[in-house]
Amino acid sequence: MDLFQRQWATYRAVLDHDLMEHQAMSLACGQVLRQVCATAKAPSLVDLGCGDLGLLAPLLLTLPLGHYTGLDLCAEVLPLAQAALSQAPFPRSWMAEDLLSWANAPQAEAVEVIHSSYAVHHLQQDQDKANWLRGCRRRITPGGRLIWVDVFREAGESREAYLARYGGRVEGWNALRPDQRQAVLAHIQRFDYPAERGVIEGIAQEAGWSWQWTWEGHHAAEAMAVLSPA
Ligand SMILES: C[S@@+](CC[C@H](N)C(=O)[O-])C[C@H]1O[C@@H](n2cnc3c(N)ncnc32)[C@H](O)[C@@H]1O
């Protein structure tokens, strides 16, 4: 197994044991997506940081989408995502690209739905997240929705305090092998920069969004927000 396969196998193990509550999140996400599809006719959906679609594909396959675009910085996941949607009745496109570049592409088309799960917390600065929110605001249709699933810090919580708290939780993930727990801990220390609740809601408002929390996990970290043009 190469490094990519090992890292992806660890993420799959986190999903398979539902350690980040993906099951409850995808039920809630399904409800929102079905509502959007009931009001917008054959909407286009762009999935920023789509990964291998191991979780989302069964839900996507049931939706009357007009078009699906899967975008991920890691080109190696795209063939897996492509295979997961091979039976989809709607057209698909694939992009190996950065989600911030996508949001800020000049003269780009607007879409009805932007979905992103567990990818935006990899943007390190609030400034980057603000640029992403402004770019997505430009690229959403008037009645469209941005569905943002991610880990978030509590109001007033530093990144260090968040990492200590989340790390303590990972130490208890006994369903994973010790080397897998170590890989998760190293990954979050290096790559996780969750936005702070309250602060990010203000940033989104300044970018022209109206914010609604629609799902909360049990650990004051994983959550889903649905943003509409204000
Ligand atoms: C934890 S996985 C989540 C995959 C899937 N969305 C899910 O919820 O299961 C994060 C994904 O985001 C991608 N990613 C991270 N930073 C990114 C960026 N700046 N632009 C695009 N994709 C990014 C990673 O390559 C990875 O596939």
Side-chain angles (χ1 to χ4, degrees), residues 30 33-34 37 56-65 85 87-90:
L33 284 170
R34 275 188 287 276
C37 288
L56 199 63
L59 167 60
L60 291 171
L61 287 167
T62 66
L63 297 174
L65 295 179
L85 279 193
Q87 302 300 315
F90 44 80

Side-chain angles (χ1 to χ4, degrees), residues 8 11-12 15 20 22 25 47-56 71-74 77 97-100 115-123 149 187:
W8 208 255
Y11 185 60
R12 295 284 343 153
L15 250 83
M20 293 173 65
H22 280 85
M25 181 277 284
D47 193 2
L48 301 177
C50 61
D52 67 356
L53 288 184
L55 184 80
L56 199 63
L71 175 149
D72 205 288
L73 195 54
C74 173
V77 297
E97 198 182 309
D98 178 67
L99 57 85
L100 189 52
H115 170 271
S116 185
S117 64
Y118 299 119
V120 178
H121 68 278
H122 292 309
L123 298 178
V149 179
H187 177 92

Side-chain angles (χ1 to χ4, degrees), residues 152-171:
F152 294 90
R153 283 182 283 139
E154 293 270 74
E157 185 178 42
S158 67
R159 177 172 182 260
E160 290 66 32
Y162 166 89
L163 289 176
R165 182 164 70 83
Y166 205 97
R169 188 174 145 206
V170 173
E171 302 278 5

Side-chain angles (χ1 to χ4, degrees), residues 14 16 54 101 120-121 129 149-150 210 217:
V14 170
D16 291 344
S101 309
V120 178
H121 68 278
K129 294 180 184 87
V149 179
D150 218 333
S210 160

Side-chain angles (χ1 to χ4, degrees), residues 185-218:
L185 288 168
H187 177 92
I188 64 172
Q189 286 289 340
R190 184 153 171 223
F191 296 112
D192 284 15
Y193 293 82
E196 182 185 337
R197 287 159 190 261
V199 173
I200 198 66
E201 288 166 66
I203 290 173
Q205 199 177 357
E206 278 172 24
W209 291 106
S210 160
W211 182 290
Q212 195 190 1
W213 292 106
T214 51
W215 174 78
E216 301 267 358
H218 289 103

Side-chain angles (χ1 to χ4, degrees), residues 219-230:
H219 302 280
E222 291 85 3
M224 177 167 73
V226 176
L227 286 71
S228 329

